[in-house]
């Protein structure tokens, strides 16, 4: 059962892991798993919008993914551009705004053009913001923010650094989901994850469905977030919680 609207996280981030294993189990090439991963992302976007989530941030290609076999890398680039040309009109009708986060200058001109076009076409949509982290790494993000600030002679504070991160995320993720049973952040949103709730699903990403999403939302709704303060339900026992 879906949680009540007030318990729904405003911002969910997802490490969409397990596409390769999904394909291997079926004796298919890894890229077939990534294609199925796009389908899973598509239904997750719609489900999140319906449940009142305002921001969804997904890890689609990490700074380290360049080390994969060349055909898998080029396959992922093709999947991205194809998915955009196919899905942007429908996403736009659902009120989804697309924003790409990462080192774009390292991508081909064709891919860069596709990203810019999708962002332009969806810029005015307000139902759900979909941040697609592509050629992204949390360490890269922190370093590029610091370098930009140093170049402008700005003073580094937690607030000023947050504002200079690659994505003006608008908020830090309330909930980070990782699929496929792995329990790591893998260089995803290192700064922004400081107080995120973490949820790990055993399902491989292509198998992550609406039932699995609702299970993650229910788990989130049952958590007590304290942000380093004393929790409401624990204050009586004088717990100084972290
Ligand atoms: C991790 O699974 C997944 C990725 C590196 C890519 C995620 C990409 C998609 C879900 C599809 C592409 C989406 C867009 C928007 C382009 P893995 O390959 O590491 O799986 P494994 O751990 O089982 O090998």
């Amino acid at each position: 059962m879906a949680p009540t609207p007030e318990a729904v996280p405003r911002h969910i981030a997802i490490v969409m892991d397990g596409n390769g294993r999904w394909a291997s189990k079926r004796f298919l090439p890894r890229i077939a798993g990534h294609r199925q991963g796009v389908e899973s992302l598509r239904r997750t976007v719609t489900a999140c919008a319906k449940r009142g989530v305002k921001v969804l941030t997904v890890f689609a290609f990490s700074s380290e993914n360049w080390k994969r076999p060349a055909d898998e890398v080029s396959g992922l680039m093709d999947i991205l551009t194809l998915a955009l040309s196919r899905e942007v009109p429908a996403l736009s009708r659902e009120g989804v705004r697309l924003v790409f986060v990462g080192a774009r200058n390292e991508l081909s001109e064709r891919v860069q053009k596709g990203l810019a076009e999708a962002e332009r076409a969806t810029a005015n949509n307000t139902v759900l913001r979909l941040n697609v982290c592509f050629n992204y790494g949390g360490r890269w993000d922190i370093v590029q923010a610091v370098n930009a600030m140093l170049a402008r002679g700005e003073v580094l504070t937690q607030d000023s650094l947050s504002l200079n991160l690659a994505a003006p995320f608008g908020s830090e993720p309330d909930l980070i989901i990782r699929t496929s049973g792995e329990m790591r952040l893998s260089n995803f949103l290192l700064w922004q994850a400081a107080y995120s709730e973490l949820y790990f699903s055993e399902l491989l990403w292509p198998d992550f469905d609406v039932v699995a999403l609702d299970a993650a939302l229910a788990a989130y709704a049952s958590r007590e977030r304290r942000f380093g303060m004393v929790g409401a339900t624990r204050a009586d026992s004088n717990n100084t919680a972290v």
Side-chain angles (χ1 to χ4, degrees), residues 18-35:
N19 295 343
R21 277 164 283 170
W22 185 93
S24 300
K25 275 169 70 178
R26 291 162 177 79
F27 306 102
L28 294 169
R30 290 177 57 81
I31 207 69
H34 295 313
R35 270 191 221 107

Side-chain angles (χ1 to χ4, degrees), residues 155-165 172 191 195:
V155 177
L156 270 165
T157 65
Q158 293 192 22
D159 285 345
S160 65
L161 180 58
S162 294
L163 289 172
N164 280 278
L165 292 169
E172 297 176 357
W191 180 273
Y195 286 102

Side-chain angles (χ1 to χ4, degrees), residues 95-223:
V96 176
R97 177 179 177 191
L98 272 158
V99 178
F100 295 92
V101 183
R104 291 179 187 219
N105 56 339
E106 295 170 7
L107 303 173
S108 73
E109 252 178 57
R110 175 183 69 109
V111 173
Q112 287 190 45
K113 230 176 117 202
L115 306 190
E117 176 54 27
E119 284 182 339
R120 194 202 52 74
T122 61
N124 295 325
N125 297 338
T126 57
V127 174
L128 174 87
R129 176 187 174 120
L130 175 59
N131 294 316
V132 179
C133 293
F134 202 88
N135 199 18
Y136 172 88
R139 290 179 177 176
W140 165 83
D141 197 1
I142 294 167
V143 169
Q144 71 76 29
V146 171
N147 278 333
M149 293 176 71
L150 289 177
R152 292 193 298 267
E154 282 176 39
V155 177
L156 270 165
T157 65
Q158 293 192 22
D159 285 345
S160 65
L161 180 58
S162 294
L163 289 172
N164 280 278
L165 292 169
F169 281 119
S171 66
E172 297 176 357
D174 300 298
L175 173 65
I176 298 180
I177 298 171
R178 183 174 186 145
T179 55
S180 88
E182 308 286 355
M183 298 187 192
R184 293 185 291 277
L185 279 181
S186 297
N187 202 12
F188 187 43
L189 303 177
L190 295 181
W191 180 273
Q192 297 91 338
Y195 286 102
S196 304
E197 294 294 326
L198 306 180
Y199 180 86
F200 300 102
S201 166
E202 290 294 324
L203 293 174
L204 303 175
W205 173 247
D207 293 327
F208 190 84
D209 56 11
V210 172
V211 173
L213 176 68
D214 282 338
L217 293 178
Y220 174 83
S222 72
R223 307 262 180 101

Side-chain angles (χ1 to χ4, degrees), residues 15-24 30 33-41 58-62 65 68 72 76-77 79-81 83-84 100 132 134 178 180 182 204-205:
V15 181
M16 308 180 288
D17 198 8
N19 295 343
R21 277 164 283 170
W22 185 93
S24 300
R30 290 177 57 81
H34 295 313
R35 270 191 221 107
Q36 203 61 34
V38 173
E39 301 306 318
S40 189
L41 175 57
V58 294
F59 207 1
F61 190 88
S62 80
N65 285 157
R68 293 190 174 204
E72 184 172 346
L76 276 164
M77 300 292 160
I79 283 176
L80 174 67
T81 36
L84 290 177
F100 295 92
V132 179
F134 202 88
R178 183 174 186 145
S180 88
E182 308 286 355
L204 303 175
W205 173 247

